[in-house]
Amino acid sequence: YGDLHTFELQAPTRLIEWARGNRVCVAGYGQSGGNEILQLLPPPSLQVKETQGLCPERDFKVECGGFSNRPVYSLKYVPDTSLLVTSGPPDSSLQVWQVSAEDSDVIKPVSAIPTENDTGQPWAKIATISARAPWVLHGSRLNSVQITEVESRKNIYTAAARNSEELSGLAFLDCNTLLLCSAKGQLCLADIRQPQSPLEAASVPSAPCGERWCMGVGRGPQGSDSSSRPVARLSSGGHLTLTDVRKISESLASAKCRVPSPSSGAEFLCVSWAPALESCLAVSGFDGTVHVYDVQSWDGSGREAEPIFVHKGHAFGGSDSGGGPPLVTAHTWHPQKPRTLLSAASDGSLHIWDWVQPGGNC
């Protein structure tokens, strides 16, 4: 390791979100009430641009917090605001939170965004943007996707889709273009300037049946067309497929992750591209580890890929609330530090770490 910091939360968290000033937001997912939502200040050594030797303070600090009376399965910071948006069972509605000013340490609920016909619907997946105004993209199924203005709760866009497949992820590509991914691995592009155009789903090429999928969208190569962005899809069986948003029906490369066993529920599957490194992505949700891969050498064979680094810190911790080994529930890359990642596990452990990779592009 180049560096490793650990923090023990009072309850397990299934999500991590970077907020303004490189703060970190986390939230609990217990089925009972009183799930914490916390904003943490990372260790000082992670807030400087360059390594400056030993830091006397090596722990996270809790800046402010609040409580949710429902499990928090998704949390997103709304850029250029002090607002957070969360979602979770028992329905697909959203909760909006205010991160309080400097004279207060409370994160308080300020409003809710209901959705039509959400009874019995899965919890909503969410993405946020502030290109024109603070917007939230949300939905639980392909035919329930919409954009809502966060502060006024005005509906901006509703997708025209006949497909009712469950959503596993969604993303803003820019202020006009959306990318959606179903639990079966189908991708859909949508343009909010053409709200009546029906969404067409492109399936995963040569994908095994019966597996659940998640999606991660990366940044395009430096100097490339802004519309050229890589998409990685990860299945509960450990299959990875890479595509480009310009041709979502074609596979650029595929590989098999080195995972101990396929994930049965796919509840915590996560794949993400490094924002400050080209061709690197991270995978978690199968066990107590996070795998980092360099995809440059991948082809269409689908053979097993060799990770360039495996973070095993959570696996050597204690047991989770069920008495079993810890499972990584979420990970995310630091927005500026190329090799730095933050990961959380079902035992309440929160790690921020980076690694030393002699040679190679990563």
Side-chain angles (χ1 to χ4, degrees):
Y1 287 94
D3 207 354
L4 171 64
H5 302 266
T6 66
F7 184 70
E8 297 301 320
L9 297 163
Q10 295 299 310
T13 175
R14 63 173 289 154
L15 45 95
I16 309 164
E17 174 77 354
W18 290 101
R20 57 182 178 174
N22 279 344
R23 268 65 170 175
V24 177
C25 292
V26 297
Y29 62 90
Q31 294 301 317
S32 60
N35 289 290
E36 282 189 302
I37 298 179
L38 301 175
Q39 180 168 283
L40 307 176
L41 187 66
S45 62
L46 291 162
Q47 299 176 56
V48 295
K49 292 185 178 179
E50 297 179 4
T51 303
Q52 297 181 352
L54 292 175
C55 259
E57 190 65 52
R58 296 181 58 81
D59 209 349
F60 290 85
K61 286 185 177 179
V62 177
E63 280 197 314
C64 53
F67 290 94
S68 171
N69 59 7
R70 62 167 69 200
V72 181
Y73 278 26
S74 186
L75 179 153
K76 292 293 180 183
Y77 165 66
V78 183
D80 305 322
T81 73
S82 58
L83 300 175
L84 300 172
V85 181
T86 65
S87 67
D91 53 42
S92 59
S93 65
L94 310 182
Q95 290 69 51
V96 182
W97 304 78
Q98 174 77 53
V99 180
S100 299
E102 295 179 0
D103 58 347
S104 173
D105 60 359
V106 177
I107 298 176
K108 58 183 180 181
V110 292
S111 66
I113 299 175
T115 54
E116 295 182 8
N117 304 320
D118 67 357
T119 304
Q121 295 291 313
W123 58 279
K125 282 63 177 180
I126 54 180
T128 54
I129 195 172
S130 283
R132 297 173 182 167
W135 287 354
V136 57
L137 168 66
H138 56 105
S140 58
R141 300 186 182 277
L142 284 175
N143 61 355
S144 69
V145 172
Q146 54 188 345
I147 296 174
T148 305
E149 192 170 286
V150 176
E151 293 168 322
S152 68
R153 290 184 287 176
K154 176 185 175 184
N155 179 268
I156 304 298
Y157 166 83
T158 299
R162 294 180 292 270
N163 191 330
S164 62
E165 291 294 337
E166 183 181 345
L167 272 175
S168 65
L170 36 68
F172 280 103
L173 298 179
D174 54 43
C175 62
N176 292 314
T177 316
L178 320 173
L179 183 64
L180 317 174
C181 181
S182 76
K184 290 185 177 180
Q186 299 166 314
L187 291 180
C188 288
L189 276 173
D191 191 321
I192 68 173
R193 294 165 296 188
Q194 301 172 357
Q196 303 306 316
S197 297
L199 300 183
E200 299 296 333
S203 298
V204 183
S206 305
C209 295
E211 297 185 353
R212 291 179 63 89
W213 293 77
C214 68
M215 168 186 77
V217 183
R219 299 178 181 177
Q222 195 169 17
S224 67
D225 181 354
S226 60
S227 65
S228 173
R229 297 179 65 177
V231 180
R233 279 173 285 179
L234 170 68
S235 81
S236 53
H239 295 92
L240 268 166
T241 298
L242 308 183
T243 55
D244 189 297
V245 295
R246 296 172 298 181
K247 294 182 179 180
I248 59 174
S249 61
E250 297 181 12
S251 173
L252 297 177
S254 61
K256 180 77 164 56
C257 294
R258 181 174 292 181
V259 295
S261 59
S263 174
S264 56
E267 185 179 8
F268 301 114
L269 283 185
C270 183
V271 57
S272 64
W273 291 92
L277 288 174
E278 286 188 19
S279 74
C280 279
L281 55 78
V283 166
S284 66
F286 295 93
D287 55 12
T289 65
V290 181
H291 289 209
V292 180
Y293 294 92
D294 182 356
V295 305
Q296 280 194 112
S297 61
W298 290 9
D299 54 26
S301 65
R303 66 175 184 269
E304 185 175 276
E306 183 79 25
I308 59 173
F309 187 79
V310 179
H311 174 59
K312 301 179 181 179
H314 297 286
F316 295 119
S319 59
D320 61 20
S321 58
L327 172 68
V328 172
T329 55
H331 76 263
T332 187
W333 295 80
H334 191 286
Q336 288 90 35
K337 294 180 177 289
R339 291 190 186 89
T340 300
L341 291 94
L342 198 153
S343 53
S346 57
D347 61 349
S349 59
L350 182 68
H351 293 179
I352 192 162
W353 45 277
D354 60 14
W355 78 98
V356 177
Q357 176 71 17
N361 293 322
C362 289

